[in-house]
Every structure is written in C-alpha cells, then in structure tokens.
Amino acid sequence: MRGVYLILAGLVVMMLGVWAYQENYATQHVLREISQIQRDIGHQREELAVLRAEWAYLNRPERLRDLAGINYDRLGLLPFQPEQFGRVDQISFPQEDDIILDLTDSVDVVGSLEAVEP
C-alpha cells in the first residue's frame, strides 16, 4: 500500500512539474508580447512627435500667409469684414412647439422582422 502512495505522489509531483513548466513558458511568452507592445508604443509616440512637429511647421502663419498670397487669384480669399460677423441673438433657434415627436411609426428593434414589414 505504501508503494501505491509513493507512485501516486511521484505522479502528482511530475504533473505539477509539467504544469509549472507550461506556466513558465506561457508567462515568458506574455512578457515578450508586452515588451514588443511597449516598443511599438514608443515608436508610435516618436512618430506622433514627428507628425506634430511637421504640422506645426506647415501651419506657420507666415507660410500660410505666403501661400494665400500666391494662390490669391485662384482661391479668391478676402479678409474678413466686420459686417460678416453676427451676434448670438440673431440666430433663429427652433421653438419647442416646432419640435414634434411622432412615435406612432416606431420600429421594434428587439422583436422579429415581421414588425418591420408593411
């Protein structure tokens, strides 16, 4: 009987060893993936910094002013005039009475397709 317990104990120890071995490799694999993702994030941040610098360079006011001057005839750009601006009280917002909700033709999105068919 003692031999059976020793054999079972040995099998349990070997199964635990195999399980620990598999978990170790799975953990190493996940750590490599995390490291790769962090490197990718670093590269994306560098690329974003470059793109922001390019955007700032391309949107310099003096450059845009020169481009507007070069393309003046083709674009037809004119400076803003004071009468082009309005006040908030000049905007006509819809009144609550103008907004009518018609819920008689609603569609049952949870139900079957029969609810949609005429």
Side-chain angles (χ1 to χ4, degrees), residues 7-62:
I7 291 173
L8 287 175
L11 286 174
V12 168
V13 168
M14 285 193 302
M15 288 189 318
L16 287 174
V18 168
W19 173 78
Y21 191 71
Q22 289 175 345
E23 290 298 316
N24 182 28
Y25 273 102
T27 302
Q28 288 177 3
H29 178 69
V30 169
L31 289 175
R32 280 193 298 271
E33 286 180 357
I34 289 173
S35 177
Q36 180 62 40
I37 290 171
Q38 287 176 342
R39 279 194 299 275
D40 291 343
I41 289 172
H43 291 303
Q44 294 295 324
R45 285 184 177 165
E46 289 175 9
E47 187 175 340
L48 184 60
V50 169
L51 290 174
R52 284 183 176 154
E54 288 177 357
W55 180 259
Y57 177 75
L58 292 174
N59 283 320
R60 293 183 329 264
E62 61 275 359

Side-chain angles (χ1 to χ4, degrees), residues 89 91-101:
D89 60 353
I91 300 173
S92 62
F93 293 103
Q95 301 296 320
E96 289 185 23
D97 298 338
D98 296 341
I99 302 173
I100 300 172
L101 297 176

